[in-house]
């Protein structure tokens, strides 16, 4: 969680060379393996239909590198391997994750200049009902974890908060070795029980170096007669804009598989910043009509000075530090896009400061100035403070009761 950033200056001295060497290797590996493509998908016959883009090595569809689900045609961006050569897009009219003859579809050859470490923009992909090459990849959702390369996420997998995957050493791996975290299949959105179409999902989002287990006390009090808990587990060392876009992709895919009509999000610490980035991506795309509420708890909407220390002094700069530094381009534009119209933001902050050194108002980790950034206050429909520090706020019976109250009125 973000409280560990307070000790960053000490960590730079005590973490030793190993963490920074591993981080350097990971950053280099991402540059030598991954690239990003962006552009626009147009479907004249089905402008409001779910759309799937598939990155492939060949026209036959034998080698799938990755895929991404979108709620409708329009602007897109996706990360794939530098060896990808084609994009295949189709309107998945029956939501079965596989192409059927008659569904609007189309191909585009990626430029030769698209290689690992590069970004190719302005790709135009038009979908039509004219039959073309029929890819042989079958059901894409069933391919997850098998043929999508070495980097993948889990979606809808059943889990328990006691699982070893949520142990502190794994969470720490997600900060210092985010690629390995994903290669080892830790990242994703997990269900804490079988999907129930009669209950609204509540997605819990942890902070830096944290895990879903941080919400154990709060999840234990969730009204299970109305809600089902989902948890996001993500590598916290990567930049926050990429995380926000990743959350959008994961939730779009889950909704394509499970047609839930309402979703609530509860986020702690830096998780609230990740969610705010995701909400901006939703608004820009005109998506996420299923989302109803966003409850942030002790979130550093103004950034954290310790992240700036990492940028200034660390031998290798963790991407998340660049995002979280006050005044960074990410922070400066975090609230530039208004929330989707139907989303209500409930802002919870803590003000118990047990820090012996320093007198800045806050919860002992995040200053009140950062928690109560004016743009965050302006968008919030409710604000409430609790006499808790950055960690105890998630274990407070009073806070849990209040969160349940907020969920019940949405």
């Amino acid at each position: 969680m973000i409280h560990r950033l307070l000790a960053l200056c000490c960590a730079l001295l005590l973490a030793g060379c190993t963490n920074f060497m591993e981080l350097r290797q990971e950053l280099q590996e991402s540059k030598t393996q991954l690239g990003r493509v962006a552009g626009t998908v147009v479907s004249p016959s089905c402008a409001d239909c779910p759309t799937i883009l598939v990155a492939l090595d060949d026209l036959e569809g034998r080698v799938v590198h990755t895929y991404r689900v979108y709620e409708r045609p329009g602007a897109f961006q996706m990360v794939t391997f530098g060896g990808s050569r084609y994009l295949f897009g189709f309107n998945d009219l029956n939501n079965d994750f596989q192409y059927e003859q008659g569904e609007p579809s189309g191909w585009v050859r990626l430029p030769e200049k698209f290689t690992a470490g590069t970004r190719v923009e302005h790709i135009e992909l038009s979908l039509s009902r004219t039959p073309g090459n029929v890819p042989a990849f079958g059901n894409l959702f069933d391919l997850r974890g098998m043929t999508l390369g070495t980097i993948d996420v889990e979606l809808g997998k059943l889990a328990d908060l006691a699982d070893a995957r949520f142990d502190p050493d794994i969470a720490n791996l997600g900060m210092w070795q985010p690629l390995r975290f994903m290669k080892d299949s830790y990242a994703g959105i997990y269900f804490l029980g079988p999907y129930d179409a009669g209950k609204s999902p509540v997605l819990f989002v942890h902070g830096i170096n944290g895990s879903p287990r941080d919400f154990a006390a709060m999840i234990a009090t969730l009204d299970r007669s109305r809600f089902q808990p989902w948890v996001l587990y993500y590598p916290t060392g990567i930049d926050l804009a990429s995380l926000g876009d990743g959350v959008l992709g994961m939730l779009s895919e889950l909704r394509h598989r499970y047609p839930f009509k309402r979703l609530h999000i509860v986020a702690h610490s830096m998780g609230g910043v990740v969610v705010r980035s995701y909400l901006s991506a939703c608004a820009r795309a005109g998506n996420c009509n299923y989302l109803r509420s966003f409850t942030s708890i002790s979130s550093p909407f103004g950034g954290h000075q310790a992240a700036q220390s990492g940028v200034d002094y660390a031998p290798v700069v963790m991407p998340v530090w660049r995002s979280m530094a006050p005044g960074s381009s990410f922070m400066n534009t975090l609230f530039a896009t208004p929330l989707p119209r139907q989303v209500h933001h409930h802002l919870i902050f803590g003000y118990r400061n047990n820090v012996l050194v320093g007198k800045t108002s806050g919860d002992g980790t995040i200053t009140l100035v950062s928690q109560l950034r004016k743009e965050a206050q302006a968008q919030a429909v409710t604000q409430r403070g609790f006499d808790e520090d950055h960690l105890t706020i998630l274990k407070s019976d009073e806070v849990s009761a209040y969160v349940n109250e907020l969920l019940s009125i949405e």
Side-chain angles (χ1 to χ4, degrees):
M1 282 176 276
I2 199 77
H3 73 285
R4 292 179 174 86
L5 283 177
L6 281 177
L8 179 59
C9 291
C10 294
L12 297 182
L13 298 175
L14 300 177
C17 296
T18 302
N19 280 340
F20 287 109
M21 289 176 62
E22 290 171 341
L23 178 60
R24 187 189 300 277
Q25 291 171 358
E26 290 248 332
L27 294 176
Q28 184 61 33
E29 183 178 351
S30 67
K31 291 180 181 179
T32 58
Q33 287 191 4
L34 305 176
R36 184 180 294 269
V37 293
T40 304
V41 177
V42 178
S43 181
S45 65
C46 204
D48 200 38
C49 294
T51 301
I52 299 181
L53 292 185
V54 190
L56 299 155
D57 182 65
D58 60 340
L59 284 170
E60 289 72 34
R62 292 188 298 263
V63 180
V64 175
H65 285 173
T66 190
Y67 70 89
R68 179 150 178 184
V69 178
Y70 297 86
E71 290 189 36
R72 59 183 59 83
F76 75 88
Q77 61 173 340
M78 59 191 295
V79 174
T80 186
F81 293 98
S84 298
R85 291 293 170 259
Y86 298 92
L87 282 183
F88 175 72
F90 67 102
N91 293 135
D92 192 15
L93 302 183
N94 57 0
N95 286 35
D96 65 352
F97 284 88
Q98 59 188 32
Y99 172 68
E100 307 283 354
Q101 284 282 6
E103 292 178 328
S105 64
W107 289 87
V108 64
R109 177 74 159 85
L110 292 175
E112 292 294 335
K113 65 180 179 180
F114 176 66
T115 57
T118 64
R119 178 185 177 103
V120 175
E121 300 180 326
H122 310 302
I123 293 173
E124 295 185 4
L125 176 56
S126 181
L127 310 184
S128 72
R129 295 185 183 275
T130 303
N133 288 65
V134 179
F137 48 67
N139 188 296
L140 289 164
F141 199 90
D142 290 344
L143 296 181
R144 180 164 293 285
M146 292 186 289
T147 62
L148 298 185
T150 59
I151 300 174
D152 202 4
V153 296
E154 300 284 357
L155 289 179
K157 184 174 182 176
L158 287 176
D160 188 280
L161 292 179
D163 289 352
R165 69 176 59 242
F166 301 137
D167 287 350
D169 59 324
I170 303 300
N172 190 63
L173 183 73
M175 188 168 70
W176 290 100
Q177 295 178 261
L179 283 181
R180 181 182 166 192
F181 183 89
M182 290 186 284
K183 288 178 180 179
D184 290 350
S185 300
Y186 294 124
I189 294 178
Y190 294 86
F191 294 178
L192 300 187
Y195 177 74
D196 188 335
K199 299 178 183 179
S200 297
V202 180
L203 179 65
F204 292 87
V205 183
H206 62 80
I208 195 169
N209 210 21
S211 84
R213 195 178 292 167
D214 300 337
F215 290 99
M218 188 171 290
I219 290 174
T221 69
L222 186 69
D223 181 359
R224 296 297 186 95
S225 68
R226 297 182 56 190
F227 304 105
Q228 53 188 316
W230 295 357
V231 294
L232 173 67
Y233 199 24
Y234 64 96
T236 59
I238 65 178
D239 76 274
L240 300 190
S242 295
L243 285 173
D245 183 65
V247 174
L248 175 60
M250 285 188 280
L251 285 173
S252 295
E253 185 170 345
L254 277 176
R255 188 164 186 261
H256 196 62
R257 184 172 177 86
Y258 305 101
F260 53 90
K261 294 181 173 59
R262 301 171 67 86
L263 174 74
H264 306 275
I265 299 181
V266 177
H268 177 239
S269 194
M270 193 184 77
V273 182
V274 173
V275 173
R276 186 57 182 86
S277 179
Y278 148 75
L279 291 171
S280 293
C282 281
R284 288 192 295 267
N287 292 344
C288 309
N289 292 333
Y290 52 81
L291 189 59
R292 289 296 176 266
S293 73
F294 163 42
T295 300
S296 62
I297 304 172
S298 305
S299 291
F301 291 118
H304 200 290
Q305 189 56 46
Q308 185 64 57
S309 298
V311 173
D312 293 339
Y313 302 114
V316 183
V317 177
M318 194 177 293
V320 68
W321 294 341
R322 297 189 189 278
S323 300
M324 284 297 299
S328 68
S329 59
F330 174 84
M331 279 294 165
N332 286 342
T333 58
L334 182 60
F335 291 88
T337 304
L339 291 176
R341 186 178 307 173
Q342 81 284 356
V343 177
H344 292 161
H345 178 199
H346 303 286
L347 191 156
I348 296 174
F349 61 95
Y351 54 81
R352 182 187 298 171
N353 192 345
N354 294 324
V355 176
L356 299 179
V357 179
K359 299 180 180 179
T360 304
S361 298
D363 66 0
T365 299
I366 310 298
T367 64
L368 282 180
V369 170
S370 186
Q371 291 184 72
L372 298 177
R373 179 175 170 172
K374 64 179 182 180
E375 293 92 341
Q377 292 191 67
Q379 74 174 25
V381 297
T382 65
Q383 300 176 47
R384 183 167 171 182
F386 290 86
D387 183 16
E388 300 288 348
D389 66 30
H390 197 65
L391 298 181
T392 62
I393 200 165
L394 289 183
K395 301 176 182 178
S396 163
D397 292 339
E398 185 181 7
V399 174
S400 292
Y402 180 61
V403 170
N404 269 301
E405 178 185 336
L406 293 174
L407 292 172
S408 68
I409 62 177
E410 290 291 350

